[in-house]
Amino acid sequence: MTDKVLIVDDEQDFLDVLSERLKTRDMNVSTASSAKDAIKKIDAESYDAVVLDLMMPEMDGLETLKIMKEKNPDLQVILLTGHATVEKGIQAMKLGAMDLIEKPADLATIVERIKQAKTEKIILVEKKSEERIRDILTRKGW
Amino acid sequence: MTGRIDPLGAAGLSFYSKVSASISHEIKNSLAVLNESAGFLEDLTLMAKKGRDLDINRLETLAGSMLKQVKRSDAIVKNMNRLAHSLDDPWTQTDLNVLVELIRTLSERTTVTRGFKVTAALPDSPVMAETNPFFLKNLIWLILDFAVNRPGNAKAIEIRPEKSESGARISFTGFANLTQVALNDFQTEPVRRMLELLNCRLQADENQGMIQLSFL
């Protein structure tokens, strides 16, 4: 199965080139140039990972991350930023970001994180399924 | 430490730091596009080596995108250089049209991030004033910061340098819920010191949502 990723950045040229490069690595890529558009997309579809720019007009990456995680706690979000400060990094991790990568980033690093995000998502989903099954079995007294 | 930090100097340093941070962020964004474009060229080359046809249209688009980013970075660095040189001469004849346009551009990332569109309505002829260009830029930056932090729905600010009876003034229109009280609160010690140094006065027009910075 191909990795399904959503890239969110207000830099259209960056979105275009990064998505093309990820597509040549057999990824299923969607793009959003604003936080609003990205939130609509995660409402409508499921993604293995979201690559999200930290600094965007109107709604910044941290605020977007917070909303995304409220809507879908299992969603794996990788933040991209021009300048990663320690404070921002801590804030991002507290809000549930999977990782914070500094721009310009090596594509191999982005690809690796997306793959890792997919694995983590699968583990989370499996864990939840196991918990549900265990809960049913307990309730039935089996 | 017993010494008191000079509020005007501290404000100037804070302004310069904020602009530098914003500029470096812009450069990083531009470098990120260049990085991905160069990487994509590498991808295409590798694919061509394996026998796939080179897509000339893609190459053309990539070259165009890279040239655009080089021009963008060049403009950012030029503006940074102009700001740095505004400290060369503490008191000089300045064209307010040029100064306003520079600070509007430098503050663009900050204002756009807050959802604001700031425009400069520049007259055809120069609007000259004898001033300290660095602290005037600092003051305009602070006024724009005040504007984007006002509560309300107004999201468009216009800056207009004009000739006046006393010499010159700069009008800022589009303020939401502007009151004289809010403008008084804005005039903290560093702002008061800047006004004193620049020999300027700030006035609010509550009905028109306008602030005027007049040279006395």
Side-chain angles (χ1 to χ4, degrees):
Chain A
M1 250 173 73
T2 56
D3 307 307
K4 198 172 171 193
V5 57
L6 173 67
I7 314 170
V8 191
D9 202 300
D10 62 313
E11 292 272 344
Q12 194 57 49
D13 285 358
F14 182 75
L15 274 186
D16 292 344
V17 192
L18 182 60
S19 60
E20 282 265 19
R21 294 191 78 199
L22 292 175
K23 278 176 194 166
T24 62
R25 280 152 181 86
D26 293 326
M27 289 194 179
N28 178 351
V29 186
S30 298
T31 59
S33 56
S34 70
K36 223 171 156 182
D37 189 19
I39 290 163
K40 262 189 208 162
K41 285 195 167 152
I42 65 143
D43 274 341
E45 281 193 60
S46 168
Y47 295 93
D48 294 318
V50 175
V51 178
L52 174 67
D53 184 29
L54 194 61
M55 285 270 278
M56 283 190 302
E58 292 181 24
M59 196 190 291
D60 75 8
L62 288 180
E63 214 180 323
T64 314
L65 167 70
K66 197 176 163 199
I67 295 170
M68 284 180 169
K69 291 298 264 186
E70 275 166 8
K71 284 177 176 283
N72 183 355
D74 296 342
L75 191 69
Q76 300 298 306
V77 182
I78 302 154
L79 283 166
L80 268 184
T81 174
H83 285 290
T85 60
V86 177
E87 293 80 11
K88 288 270 179 195
I90 291 169
Q91 253 181 299
M93 295 304 156
K94 275 185 182 168
L95 288 170
M98 200 203 108
D99 206 350
L100 186 84
I101 305 175
E102 199 170 328
K103 280 183 183 177
D106 179 21
L107 189 73
T109 308
I110 300 176
V111 170
E112 189 197 308
R113 295 296 190 278
I114 292 170
K115 302 253 178 230
Q116 201 181 327
K118 190 180 179 179
T119 311
E120 286 195 21
K121 194 187 166 193
I122 291 169
I123 292 169
L124 270 174
V125 171
E126 278 177 357
K127 211 172 153 189
K128 279 194 176 169
S129 301
E130 270 175 28
E131 275 168 14
R132 259 200 305 272
I133 292 166
R134 202 174 298 131
D135 188 45
I136 293 167
L137 294 176
T138 313
R139 273 191 282 124
K140 299 264 181 196
W142 292 340
Chain B
M1 291 253 296
T2 52
R4 184 171 178 259
I5 298 169
D6 168 50
L8 194 60
L13 202 55
S14 162
F15 160 61
Y16 200 77
S17 307
K18 282 177 183 158
V19 175
S20 301
S22 170
I23 284 171
S24 62
H25 196 96
E26 281 289 291
I27 293 171
K28 279 270 205 169
N29 272 338
S30 198
L31 283 175
V33 181
L34 283 169
N35 181 54
E36 289 309 324
S37 302
F40 196 32
L41 277 177
E42 205 176 42
D43 291 349
L44 293 174
T45 314
L46 283 172
M47 286 191 272
K49 276 183 183 167
K50 285 179 183 168
R52 197 184 287 186
D53 287 341
L54 261 180
D55 185 338
I56 301 298
N57 289 332
R58 270 187 172 172
L59 289 182
E60 208 175 2
T61 311
L62 273 176
S65 166
M66 290 170 91
L67 282 172
K68 195 171 100 183
Q69 292 307 321
V70 170
K71 278 185 189 158
R72 176 186 172 192
S73 295
D74 183 51
I76 297 166
V77 173
K78 268 184 189 151
N79 285 339
M80 187 183 184
N81 186 269
R82 281 187 196 130
L83 178 71
H85 279 294
S86 58
L87 285 155
D88 292 351
D89 219 338
W91 205 255
T92 184
Q93 272 288 326
T94 305
D95 182 355
L96 298 184
N97 285 349
V98 177
L99 187 143
V100 160
E101 183 52 22
L102 175 65
I103 204 68
R104 187 201 64 80
T105 311
L106 289 172
S107 64
E108 206 162 25
R109 178 133 204 115
T110 314
T111 53
V112 167
T113 304
R114 303 297 301 262
F116 275 75
K117 184 173 172 57
V118 179
T119 52
L122 306 174
D124 292 334
S125 55
V127 180
M128 302 305 291
E130 183 93 14
T131 190
N132 177 305
F134 179 78
F135 281 107
L136 182 57
K137 282 169 192 160
N138 190 350
L139 185 57
I140 295 172
W141 172 279
L142 290 173
I143 294 170
L144 289 176
D145 187 58
F146 172 64
V148 300
N149 286 303
R150 298 290 313 143
N153 294 322
K155 294 283 181 192
I157 301 287
E158 187 188 84
I159 321 174
R160 182 187 294 270
E162 293 164 303
K163 287 175 184 160
S164 69
E165 305 78 45
S166 60
R169 68 171 167 248
I170 302 171
S171 306
F172 301 80
T173 49
F175 280 81
N177 307 311
L178 180 67
T179 60
Q180 187 60 50
V181 176
L183 186 65
N184 291 344
D185 289 344
F186 164 70
Q187 294 181 61
T188 52
E189 191 185 352
V191 173
R192 286 198 306 272
R193 293 274 299 274
M194 273 178 221
L195 289 167
E196 202 181 296
L197 173 83
L198 299 166
N199 199 23
C200 286
R201 186 180 58 206
L202 276 177
Q203 277 173 303
D205 185 329
E206 296 179 1
N207 296 328
Q208 290 195 52
M210 177 171 75
I211 286 179
Q212 275 193 337
L213 174 68
S214 305
F215 291 77
L216 304 172

